[in-house]
Amino acid sequence: VQLVESGGGLVQAGDSVRLSCAASGFTGDDYAVGWFRQAPGKARQGVASFSTSDGTSYYADFGDGRFTASFDSAKKSVILEMRDVKPADTAVYYCAIDPGFHGSYRFKMWGLLSGSYDYWGQGTQVTVSL
């Protein structure tokens, strides 16, 4: 299983950022995706989770409605769009997946927990300046 994130970079506060997580190395289009971030000196935290089988998504409270996850089936990529970014959003962003996930009401409980996922991307840096 391979995951490749892209879309990070240096942006200004108030901008929008679009991150992509391209998955390969497994069959099927049903999987759970978690987006996480880690700022220097801080613990990794869950940002968003997304189920490609039914489009269910959950978001961390700190997002304040600014984050949206979606699925591009043609590219087998999960997208994380972040709007009105703030300097506090500066971090390395990672995607992680659980292949073969077909959806469950329990997803709400584990989707934002890093220990739920076995496969991780290399991370992409997002830096937000004032």
Side-chain angles (χ1 to χ4, degrees):
V1 175
Q2 286 190 317
L3 302 176
V4 179
E5 297 109 332
S6 60
L10 175 63
V11 298
Q12 291 187 323
D15 284 352
S16 294
V17 177
R18 188 173 187 267
L19 304 180
S20 178
C21 175
S24 63
F26 60 97
T27 58
D29 287 335
D30 289 352
Y31 52 99
V33 178
W35 282 100
F36 298 85
R37 69 184 189 183
Q38 189 164 21
K42 294 189 177 181
R44 186 169 297 184
Q45 58 182 173
V47 176
S49 59
F50 184 83
S51 169
T52 64
S53 67
D54 59 11
T56 302
S57 58
Y58 300 100
Y59 303 94
D61 290 341
F62 60 74
D64 292 328
R66 299 180 294 122
F67 302 151
T68 302
S70 59
F71 182 52
D72 183 340
S73 59
K75 297 181 180 179
K76 204 165 185 175
S77 295
V78 175
I79 309 300
L80 179 67
E81 295 192 66
M82 301 189 294
R83 299 174 296 279
D84 188 24
V85 294
K86 309 175 189 303
D89 294 321
T90 294
V92 177
Y93 284 74
Y94 300 88
C95 67
I97 72 168
D98 176 22
F101 176 69
H102 302 294
S104 167
Y105 71 93
R106 295 185 181 89
F107 186 47
K108 183 176 183 178
M109 292 181 277
W110 61 262
L112 290 175
L113 301 177
S114 60
S116 302
Y117 301 92
D118 291 328
Y119 302 101
W120 290 77
Q122 81 286 354
T124 184
Q125 176 71 47
V126 175
T127 303
V128 183
S129 64
L130 287 170

